[in-house]
Amino acid sequence: MKLIELPNLSSKRLQALQKSGIHTPNDLLMLFPRRYIDKSVVKPIAFLTEGTGPVTVTGKVISKNVIGFKQKKRLEVIIQDKTGSLKAVFFKGWRYFITQFTENNWVALYGPVKRYGNYYSMAHPEVDPIESPDDVKKYDTLIPIYPGNKHFSKAYITNSIIKDWITQILSGKEIPEFLPRDVLSRHNFPERKDALNIIHQPVSLKDAQTALERFKYEEFFLFELSMASIKKQRTERAKGKMLKPGKYTSTFFNEVLPFTLTDGQKHALSDIRTDLQSGNQMNRLIQGDVGAGKTVVAIGAMLMAIDNGMQAALMAPTEILAEQHYQTIKQYIEPLGLNFRLLTGGQKTALRRDILTDIEGGNCNIVVGTHAIFQEKVKFHNLGLAVIDEQHRFGVKQRNDVLMKGDNPHLLVMSATPIPRSLAMTIYSDLDISVITGLPAGRKPIKTAVRTDKERQKVYDFLEQSIQNGDQAYVVFPLIEESEVMDLKDATMGFEKLKRRFPDFSISLLHGRMKSDEKEQIMKRFVDGETQILVSTTVIEVGVDVPNASIMIIEHAERFGLSQLHQLRGRIGRGSKQSYCILMPDVKLSKSGRYRLKKMVDTNDGFEIAESDLKLRGPGDFLGTKQSGLPEFRHGDIVEDRLLLEQSKNDAWNIIKTDPGLEKTEHKELKKVFEPYFKERSEFFGVG
Ligand code: ADP
Ligand code: MG
């Protein structure tokens, strides 16, 4: 069946459907009702009152008249039951509605009731012709209400037209089942065809709910199937690459590293060691709150690759962070006599050519860089391990891109976004997860306070005293992309103000629009302790590590999301000193703004903050769909339907484990659906 075979489908309506992304009868079937209404409760007209919510009345058509002039014409229909009469009024589309009424026939109207003059009336009620006043048979199911849009209303595609079309399609169409039998029975899901029938014509809301679960599961399942087959392919290709830790790794941990590892760090490293020696490719996510010490773990992993004569790469989302990692690596790797290079977008051509030659020739053991590492021109001699820091800034695609840079190198990704573990396991399901719990010993919990503009003098006095005691401070201003210019003005003015207030201190301004070497220099001076106050936009949000900085003032604090505030605050509290975070909101605080600031004062625990943030914003905003490498799910919600997501993951992985090519008979229909699904999204998943 084709769309054009549907009844009442003018070319105008066909266009409206297409503009709404509906190209096939199947697309129309997947247009699910937004809600259902129960029209089976019929009220006698005499019992109506002004403002009665949507109800059904039945009556005989007494008269129908078109009144008014030109543009202002309207259709008025009077109907009557045993107890009284009611007027129905139609302004828009009256030419269509007039055909729905025949004098002396019975109709049922459904809508909210108002009183106008002598009549109770309904404006634009839903109209159903019926046989007799007691003809409630047609109301023995719930009425689906479909989501409308402006294209639909322009083409007069009403709810009942959509309903008719869908009934038509459902009655004629073969709807094959593609979920495997055992999956269906394990979860008690209705067959696809039955589920569609229930969604569009449910007898009870509970049935509709169960049917909907099936479709939520279905979309999660296809996603998890993709993740599973991506990982399976990666692992297959990389079979047999065993890396054993050797001289460099042990010298680093035993002689160079100035502190002992925390238990969390040890665990993560031991997971990595096992992966690297397993003969399979490592795909591991290290999750750890800000300041947990992930960098050292990354360095350890890279040294294991180098011990086996291979190269390693460390990728960061910003130049500042890449530069910082470069400095850290310099400190730890130089004593080992190894070579390392920094690769960023802003480097001069000659320098870059030199770096690329070094990487390709195998001279350089470790490459630290930004997205620039993904570029085609960058060729490795033998990349054995790739590390992606601050993974939440990259997607699935980047995970795969970097793997193309070598002969299936091992992959380690690190994230400080404390996504609740069960959620992480499902959305990063192509990765194994190690969590670094706990912080290095000797850290004092950061003290956080909210101060208003009135208290600014006191805040500045405190700042002055701390700096005189040898501390360093960040002053952060928000940078919201849409108003970049204005916010930059904010930061610049704040910078000038601080310089006037503290003429004796060395103060710098850092923002994203600066040239990279300028940024580098400013950052370096701060790291070296030459600058005492660093005024900055959120470019310092990720990763930056200056242990001597123990004060952070966040201006317009209410403009930041909770997780972002936590990331920012994570820049301090990295040494043994007591650190202070001072949140300075604007005077006017929204309820959610107040809640966020209070949460920050109440806890330092990243996981608790992430849970609240997730509740506050919903998964889409929280993860930022594009960044998280998550597709947009149409029916399912990765937080509310977490359980279904988890189940779909387990099922999908079991299938891919035993039947990776979906060749078995019981997976024949699944393969037919999965292949085009995966192909359509190959760009998104970064494959093919
Ligand atoms: P993050 O997990 O946020 O990336 P970093 O790797 O930047 O954290 O580490 C934060 C700080 O803690 C760094 O200054 C680092 O040198 C220090 N550090 C890391 N591990 C330990 C440890 N086991 N003991 C003491 N200090 C540590
Ligand atoms: Mg880090």
Side-chain angles (χ1 to χ4, degrees):
M1 187 183 192
K2 293 204 175 102
L3 271 190
I4 41 167
E5 291 165 39
L6 292 172
N8 288 321
L9 188 78
S10 57
S11 61
K12 198 171 165 189
R13 283 182 176 155
L14 181 62
Q15 263 179 19
L17 286 179
Q18 285 166 342
K19 275 187 199 149
S20 318
I22 296 169
H23 303 280
T24 64
N26 212 24
D27 293 340
L28 206 46
L29 283 184
M30 292 311 281
L31 182 73
F32 285 3
R34 162 165 72 75
R35 62 190 173 95
Y36 300 92
I37 54 176
D38 186 355
K39 289 213 257 182
S40 60
V41 188
V42 180
K43 271 214 166 188
I45 291 174
F47 287 18
L48 298 175
T49 50
E50 163 87 29
T52 300
V55 285
T56 302
V57 295
T58 57
K60 199 182 257 184
V61 178
I62 302 298
S63 66
K64 53 175 187 179
N65 292 302
V66 178
I67 343 192
F69 299 99
K70 289 189 183 158
Q71 312 295 353
K72 292 204 170 152
K73 280 195 178 131
R74 65 180 191 270
L75 168 67
E76 289 193 356
V77 179
I78 311 278
I79 66 159
Q80 198 171 52
D81 70 1
K82 268 186 248 156
T83 68
S85 45
L86 173 136
K87 191 192 274 178
V89 190
F90 300 86
F91 302 94
K92 260 201 199 158
W94 60 266
R95 273 177 230 277
Y96 166 75
F97 286 108
I98 203 166
T99 65
Q100 303 284 296
F101 298 96
T102 312
E103 271 156 35
N104 284 320
N105 282 8
W106 285 84
V107 288
L109 303 180
Y110 176 86
V113 178
K114 282 219 160 125
R115 175 103 200 173
Y116 281 116
N118 294 331
Y119 282 102
Y120 280 110
S121 76
M122 286 182 175
H124 282 266
E126 286 168 38
V127 186
D128 284 294
I130 50 173
E131 307 271 298
S132 72
D134 307 319
D135 181 11
V136 286
K137 269 201 309 284
K138 62 186 312 160
Y139 295 134
D140 63 359
T141 57
L142 296 166
I143 313 291
I145 301 299
Y146 291 96
N149 63 40
K150 64 173 195 292
H151 306 302
F152 281 11
S153 53
K154 265 195 200 142
Y156 300 117
I157 300 181
T158 59
N159 196 61
S160 59
I161 291 178
I162 300 178
K163 196 165 148 263
D164 286 350
W165 283 342
I166 288 180
T167 312
Q168 185 99 4
I169 297 169
L170 277 173
S171 69
K173 201 171 150 61
E174 271 302 307
I175 298 166
E177 178 57 70
F178 69 81
L179 290 181
R181 287 283 130 201
D182 61 317
V183 167
L184 279 186
S185 61
R186 191 164 34 218
H187 303 295
N188 259 326
F189 287 143
E191 295 255 348
R192 198 156 202 275
K193 171 147 193 162
D194 298 338
L196 281 169
N197 271 305
I198 296 169
I199 288 279
H200 293 293
Q201 291 151 7
V203 175
S204 76
L205 283 178
K206 199 164 157 283
D207 291 351
Q209 199 52 42
T210 318
L212 185 59
E213 298 252 300
R214 189 220 132 95
F215 290 102
K216 290 176 174 178
Y217 176 91
E218 204 178 280
E219 59 178 348
F220 287 155
F221 179 69
L222 290 171
F223 170 70
E224 292 295 347
L225 213 51
S226 312
M227 298 294 263
S229 61
I230 288 174
K231 181 167 181 194
K232 178 93 183 168
Q233 282 167 21
R234 272 191 216 153
T235 335
E236 292 290 303
R237 282 196 308 249
K239 267 238 167 345
K241 285 222 171 126
M242 294 194 209
L243 302 183
K244 285 206 179 77
K247 189 182 76 193
Y248 291 120
T249 313
S250 61
T251 313
F252 170 65
F253 285 118
N254 297 330
E255 291 168 31
V256 179
L257 198 65
F259 42 72
T260 44
L261 296 173
T262 66
D263 286 349
Q265 287 169 320
K266 281 185 198 154
H267 268 135
L269 277 161
S270 133
D271 287 345
I272 292 169
R273 201 175 302 123
T274 311
D275 286 352
L276 294 180
Q277 296 184 52
S278 71
N280 287 323
Q281 183 185 37
M282 173 169 74
N283 286 277
R284 185 166 293 279
L285 167 68
I286 305 285
Q287 257 200 316
D289 207 347
V290 282
K294 295 181 289 293
T295 316
V296 170
V297 173
I299 293 175
M302 292 197 289
L303 287 171
M304 293 181 204
I306 294 169
D307 270 328
N308 291 266
M310 305 200 77
Q311 293 173 301
L314 170 59
M315 207 136 23
T318 65
E319 286 186 11
I320 290 179
L321 189 53
E323 162 72 17
Q324 170 120 44
H325 280 326
Y326 179 76
Q327 296 301 338
T328 309
I329 282 174
K330 187 172 184 166
Q331 176 193 344
Y332 290 138
I333 300 296
E334 219 157 38
L336 299 173
L338 293 167
N339 294 320
F340 47 92
R341 308 270 346 217
L342 176 69
L343 184 71
T344 60
Q347 286 162 327
K348 297 246 161 61
T349 327
L351 173 63
R352 157 167 286 238
R353 200 175 303 135
D354 185 44
I355 297 172
L356 292 184
T357 315
D358 226 17
I359 299 173
E360 192 164 1
N363 213 344
C364 151
N365 304 103
I366 295 184
V367 184
V368 186
T370 55
H371 289 74
I373 295 186
F374 295 132
Q375 285 169 347
E376 217 164 296
K377 276 174 271 172
V378 185
K379 297 206 171 60
F380 285 84
H381 180 64
N382 61 354
L383 183 62
L385 170 80
V387 185
I388 301 184
D389 193 15
E390 306 294 343
Q391 139 73 23
H392 59 287
R393 293 295 186 95
F394 300 97
V396 193
K397 180 171 157 40
Q398 277 78 22
R399 299 211 272 283
N400 278 318
D401 280 353
V402 71
L403 294 179
M404 296 297 150
K405 285 289 167 198
D407 182 16
N408 299 297
H410 294 283
L411 176 68
L412 183 68
V413 302
M414 306 195 292
S415 177
T417 310
I419 295 167
R421 186 178 164 82
S422 63
L423 188 57
M425 281 172 64
T426 47
I427 60 180
Y428 299 136
S429 64
D430 59 331
L431 304 169
D432 301 306
I433 301 182
S434 307
V435 181
I436 303 186
T437 45
L439 299 177
R443 300 261 177 92
K444 294 194 180 70
I446 301 168
K447 290 188 179 156
T448 303
V450 179
R451 294 287 178 266
T452 60
D453 208 43
K454 272 192 212 137
E455 296 157 295
R456 189 170 287 277
Q457 282 325 313
K458 269 200 227 149
V459 171
Y460 281 174
D461 290 347
F462 173 71
L463 182 65
E464 184 163 33
Q465 193 137 57
S466 310
I467 289 178
Q468 276 161 355
N469 287 337
D471 293 344
Q472 285 172 280
Y474 296 100
V475 179
V476 186
F477 286 83
L479 186 80
I480 301 158
E481 266 166 54
E482 305 95 74
S483 58
E484 208 170 337
V485 181
M486 222 183 88
D487 284 319
L488 205 52
K489 208 174 96 196
D490 254 8
T492 316
M493 273 165 51
F495 171 59
E496 298 297 338
K497 202 157 120 190
L498 280 161
K499 275 205 300 196
R500 280 196 299 275
R501 171 69 177 73
F502 301 112
D504 297 337
F505 293 160
S506 160
I507 308 175
S508 295
L509 175 67
L510 181 75
H511 60 77
R513 291 201 159 185
M514 289 173 164
K515 291 238 171 61
S516 32
D517 37 347
E518 197 180 351
K519 275 191 277 191
E520 253 166 52
Q521 274 171 17
I522 290 172
M523 207 54 224
K524 190 167 181 319
R525 279 207 303 275
F526 190 66
V527 174
D528 293 344
E530 287 166 31
T531 314
Q532 288 146 322
I533 302 178
L534 184 66
V535 180
S536 157
T537 58
T538 46
V539 288
I540 57 139
E541 177 196 344
V542 283
V544 171
D545 180 43
V546 182
N548 190 50
S550 60
I551 295 180
M552 175 172 282
I553 298 175
I554 304 181
E555 302 279 354
H556 308 293
E558 80 289 349
R559 290 201 217 162
F560 297 90
L562 250 181
S563 294
Q564 203 183 8
L565 284 172
H566 181 68
Q567 286 281 333
L568 281 168
R569 181 172 60 179
R571 299 311 111 220
I572 57 172
R574 296 182 151 246
S576 51
K577 272 190 284 188
Q578 176 62 55
S579 290
Y580 298 90
C581 176
I582 301 162
L583 306 169
M584 310 255 331
D586 291 340
V587 231
K588 263 193 249 146
L589 262 183
S590 68
K591 200 171 146 208
S592 113
R594 200 167 303 134
Y595 174 83
R596 271 174 281 146
L597 300 191
K598 181 168 180 326
K599 193 88 212 167
M600 286 295 290
V601 173
D602 288 349
T603 182
N604 275 313
D605 180 344
F607 281 88
E608 190 183 329
I609 284 178
E611 284 278 2
S612 308
D613 202 14
L614 195 58
K615 276 192 205 120
L616 222 56
R617 290 200 283 172
D621 273 358
F622 174 77
L623 295 163
T625 304
K626 281 210 189 72
Q627 289 177 357
S628 66
L630 266 188
E632 272 182 67
F633 294 112
R634 197 163 159 190
H635 307 296
D637 177 314
I638 55 170
V639 177
E640 285 190 357
D641 306 313
R642 226 185 262 189
L643 203 63
L644 275 176
L645 181 58
E646 246 168 80
Q647 291 168 341
S648 76
K649 179 197 166 183
N650 293 337
D651 293 341
W653 285 79
N654 280 331
I655 289 173
I656 292 296
K657 224 183 270 165
T658 53
D659 185 18
L662 303 179
E663 305 297 346
K664 292 189 182 162
T665 344
E666 66 257 40
H667 299 145
K668 203 172 130 211
E669 291 298 327
L670 177 58
K671 186 173 176 152
K672 270 196 226 160
V673 172
F674 178 65
E675 278 188 346
Y677 169 93
F678 194 59
K679 209 164 169 195
E680 260 169 49
R681 290 161 180 77
S682 62
E683 170 70 15
F684 174 84
F685 287 119
V687 291

